[in-house]
Amino acid sequence: MSGLGTAGAVALVGLTGHLVEVEAHLAASVPGFTLIGLPDASLSEARDRVRAAVTSSGLPWPNRKVTVNLSPASLPKHGSAFDLAIAVATLSGAGLVDATSARGVVHLGELGLDGRVHPVRGVLPSVAAAVAGGARRVVVSVADEREARLVPGAEVHAVASLAELAYAYGADIPEPVARAARAGRAVPPAPEPVPDLADVVGQHEARAALEVAAAGAHHLLMVGPPGAGKTMLAARLPGLLPDLTDEESVEVTAVHSVAGTFDPTRGLIRRPPFEDPHHTATAASIVGGGSGVPRPGAASRAHRGVLFMDEAPEFSSRVLQTLRQPLENGELVIHRVSGAARYPARFQLVLAANPCPCGLAVGKGTGCTCAPMARRRYFGRLAGPLLDRVDLQLEVGPVTRTEIAENAAGEATAVVAARVAAARAAQRERLAPHGWTTNSQVPGSHLRTLLGPRHGGVALLDAALDRGTLSLRGADRVLRAAWTLADLAGLGSPGREEIGQALALRTRGSVA
């Protein structure tokens, strides 16, 4: 006598979820277990986890030939999130649970050998894909319940063990046994403190440049000696950025869910993320990678936030060049033999660098011991196409003794963030008809058309182009920064002064 049981699951490729029907066929033949449908190595091991979990839950393992198919069979499947669906489909085919109760329900969870249901990565995008595909009923682990309930329209049922789920589906299990693994709810942690811009001593020009970068979502390079405050300034940039919109929050949370860095007890990620990889990081850790379907890297985890690269010239040239695609397109496409994964990566890039390997080539550079060739080689890693895409490039000098003695607190983050929010609102209103939200997204041709060829500030750009100090892309980015300066000043459009300030920021000058 044979039986057939089904259950629903979701396969993730990047952030895109695909509904999968798990079919378990039980035949009166030599006992065995076969899993088909392009499973990866971790998924192929599900047969051992499922068998142990079923017997640990007090249910008999069917003494028949079990064949489990993951449909569509042409779609590669990976990970342990299919365990729960495989177990339910097998128990349904064996007649140990009610087949009609499990039909049309998506199951997401990894099984322990003792029958407990463990959390898995990517619950948010998986549940969203299930709801979009018409499967509103979803079963997840207790630890993933908060994350799953973030998806509107989902009917979430959380279980702590396979025995609890089987009991809900009509299995012959005593209720105390089914409820034995039920765990307590996690207490949401306290919010992390936001670094305050008032902590930065001096550096008035750098603070002003940071405000411009936040207001227009511009990329930023800071060059200065060690201890000048470059890292402190970069860490305070996310605090100046406005909260994410609902759509952006879901998008960012989905990336962190797939990456395994999302804490569901905190709810949706509402603040722009901040990623600061070490300079020894590999290209795969920055842009994403891994065997099988690649996972998001630091660039994607910084989506809608800040990617800070301290000691930028110390990063390998290969790592730096991989950033060109996301800087231009706002997404990363990672190709593997099993397919391609797309991850959003629209971040603000902040680079910090010493002027030379020893870091003392400031002012007259009398304390520097680096050879001229070593200086050129060191900073040359940032030259070319990557540096041309950085809107603001600023020299950050050492803090003077006078500034330390005065210890005058600058403006707090909340004060500067209010001006940034006002400038962002002006940009949204002006750019909404074109589908843009910040000045950093506007093509230079559009900005030139708005100003007209006879605008006084355009002559400054033309002169810089003639001298070769600016490329055409660099001139466009100067115009973007000039519009941001005008928005911060409450002006309708930039004048000659704003374009001059933006040009100084582009050529490591002063904004003050």
Side-chain angles (χ1 to χ4, degrees), residues 3-222:
L4 180 66
T6 62
V10 174
L12 281 178
V13 180
L15 291 185
T16 305
H18 304 271
L19 281 176
V20 173
E21 184 180 21
V22 180
E23 304 169 307
H25 181 265
L26 283 73
S29 180
V30 178
F33 190 103
T34 304
L35 182 63
I36 58 177
L38 292 185
D40 69 350
S42 62
L43 180 51
S44 296
E45 295 171 350
R47 60 179 179 270
D48 299 315
R49 292 192 298 269
V50 170
R51 183 186 291 111
V54 168
T55 56
S56 296
S57 301
L59 294 168
W61 180 256
N63 193 29
R64 286 184 272 176
K65 171 65 176 178
V66 181
T67 303
V68 177
N69 178 47
L70 308 177
S71 177
S74 59
L75 178 70
K77 326 293 190 310
H78 67 97
S80 57
F82 293 86
D83 287 4
L84 193 57
I86 293 173
V88 170
T90 302
L91 294 175
S92 176
L96 297 175
V97 301
D98 181 18
T100 58
S101 300
R103 188 172 296 123
V105 181
V106 168
H107 303 79
L108 304 170
E110 175 186 328
L111 288 176
L113 300 184
D114 59 353
R116 292 179 182 268
V117 181
H118 298 305
V120 294
R121 294 180 176 183
V123 168
L124 181 66
S126 296
V127 175
V131 172
R136 304 173 66 88
R137 293 187 296 160
V138 182
V139 176
V140 298
S141 72
V142 171
D144 284 332
E145 180 180 5
R146 291 177 181 268
E147 184 177 349
R149 291 192 183 279
L150 295 174
V151 179
E155 300 174 12
V156 180
H157 178 60
V159 295
S161 66
L162 177 61
E164 181 181 348
L165 180 60
Y167 176 80
Y169 285 162
D172 186 17
I173 299 177
E175 183 175 358
V177 175
R179 299 292 183 181
R182 170 63 64 167
R185 299 304 180 92
V187 178
E192 297 179 357
V194 179
D196 201 311
L197 195 58
D199 299 334
V200 180
V201 176
Q203 301 297 5
H204 303 293
E205 296 177 0
R207 290 166 59 98
L210 199 70
E211 181 177 343
V212 175
H218 302 291
H219 306 307
L220 173 66
L221 166 68
M222 294 181 286

Side-chain angles (χ1 to χ4, degrees), residues 322-346:
T322 57
L323 296 176
R324 290 164 57 181
Q325 182 194 29
L327 288 178
E328 285 295 324
N329 304 326
E331 72 170 0
L332 282 160
V333 183
I334 308 171
H335 294 272
R336 293 292 185 271
V337 174
S338 58
R342 291 179 178 270
Y343 293 111
R346 191 172 297 282

Side-chain angles (χ1 to χ4, degrees), residues 476-487:
D476 292 344
R477 295 183 180 273
V478 169
L479 281 178
R480 294 174 178 177
W483 276 94
T484 300
L485 286 165
D487 290 328

Side-chain angles (χ1 to χ4, degrees), residues 271-361:
R271 293 296 304 152
F274 180 76
E275 293 287 331
D276 55 342
H278 193 261
H279 63 260
T280 58
T282 62
S285 68
I286 299 296
V287 301
S291 59
V293 178
R295 298 196 183 278
S300 290
R301 296 196 303 271
H303 180 57
R304 304 292 182 184
V306 177
L307 177 63
F308 174 49
M309 305 183 76
D310 200 6
E311 306 292 346
E314 298 289 347
F315 283 83
S316 71
S317 298
R318 181 167 177 261
V319 169
L320 294 173
Q321 295 308 316
T322 57
L323 296 176
R324 290 164 57 181
Q325 182 194 29
L327 288 178
E328 285 295 324
N329 304 326
E331 72 170 0
L332 282 160
V333 183
I334 308 171
H335 294 272
R336 293 292 185 271
V337 174
S338 58
R342 291 179 178 270
Y343 293 111
R346 191 172 297 282
F347 53 83
Q348 277 187 257
L349 178 64
V350 178
L351 304 172
N354 294 330
C356 66
C358 76
L360 300 179

Side-chain angles (χ1 to χ4, degrees), residues 439-479:
N439 290 326
S440 63
Q441 300 171 326
V442 184
S445 57
H446 179 77
L447 298 177
R448 288 178 177 274
T449 301
L450 291 178
L451 292 180
R454 297 186 178 182
H455 190 280
V458 175
L460 296 174
L461 298 181
D462 293 340
L465 285 169
D466 293 340
R467 292 193 303 269
T469 56
L470 277 183
S471 66
L472 183 58
R473 181 191 288 127
D476 292 344
R477 295 183 180 273
V478 169
L479 281 178

